């Protein structure tokens, strides 16, 4: 019902910035939480940041102060502004949308690679 399209990944040097975007389409319910998760080789997919339709945000400790999540509800788009990037941030970043009604169905994007070199 919902498709998520990510963009903005790429290869950068330590200390540089990058902005990821994710646009949702399909049967989108207005009350939802959108977010970003990442997965590095050998690791489990982990939370990076989430934002509710009301604007409440949540970040994993390792990105606080460096990453900023935001959304444009009219465009069904969520952004992740990443600054002061570190090699440890290297991973495939996935966009997620979760309906905050019923069973809380989740939808995932295909992912976009972020590579940070020293």
């Amino acid at each position: 019902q919902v498709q998520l399209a990510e963009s903005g990944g790429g290869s950068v040097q330590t200390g540089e910035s990058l902005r990821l975007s994710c646009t949702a389409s399909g049967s989108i319910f207005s009350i939802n939480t959108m977010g970003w998760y990442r997965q590095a080789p050998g690791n489990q997919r982990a939370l990076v940041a989430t934002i509710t339709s009301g604007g409440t945000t949540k970040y994993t400790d390792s990105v606080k102060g460096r990453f900023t999540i935001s959304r444009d509800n009219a465009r069904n788009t969520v952004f992740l502004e990443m600054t002061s990037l570190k090699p440890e941030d290297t991973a495939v970043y996935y966009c997620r949308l979760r309906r905050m009604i019923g069973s809380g169905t989740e939808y995932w994007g295909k992912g976009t690679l972020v590579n940070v070199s020293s």
Side-chain angles (χ1 to χ4, degrees):
Q1 288 187 285
V2 176
Q3 295 78 46
L4 301 173
E6 304 112 324
S7 63
S11 182
V12 297
Q13 299 291 317
T14 297
E16 295 184 340
S17 301
L18 209 57
R19 182 175 66 182
L20 306 182
S21 299
C22 172
T23 299
S25 61
S27 301
I28 304 169
F29 287 74
S30 60
I31 307 300
N32 62 68
T33 297
M34 298 186 73
W36 293 94
Y37 292 72
R38 64 187 180 186
Q39 185 169 23
N43 291 4
Q44 295 184 339
R45 189 173 299 184
L47 168 73
V48 177
T50 60
I51 182 169
T52 69
S53 54
T56 300
T57 60
K58 179 180 180 180
Y59 298 90
T60 189
D61 288 342
S62 63
V63 307
K64 289 181 178 178
R66 298 190 298 119
F67 292 9
T68 300
I69 188 169
S70 62
R71 63 187 290 167
D72 184 334
N73 291 334
R75 299 178 180 178
N76 298 314
T77 300
V78 63
F79 305 92
L80 184 67
E81 297 180 15
M82 305 182 292
T83 63
S84 300
L85 284 164
K86 306 174 181 179
E88 307 92 270
D89 296 318
T90 296
V92 175
Y93 284 69
Y94 297 90
C95 178
R96 185 214 68 178
L97 180 151
R98 181 184 182 184
R99 291 178 175 176
M100 302 305 292
I101 59 172
S103 61
T105 304
E106 296 183 352
Y107 302 90
W108 294 87
K110 294 182 179 180
T112 184
L113 177 64
V114 172
N115 184 57
V116 185
S117 59
S118 60

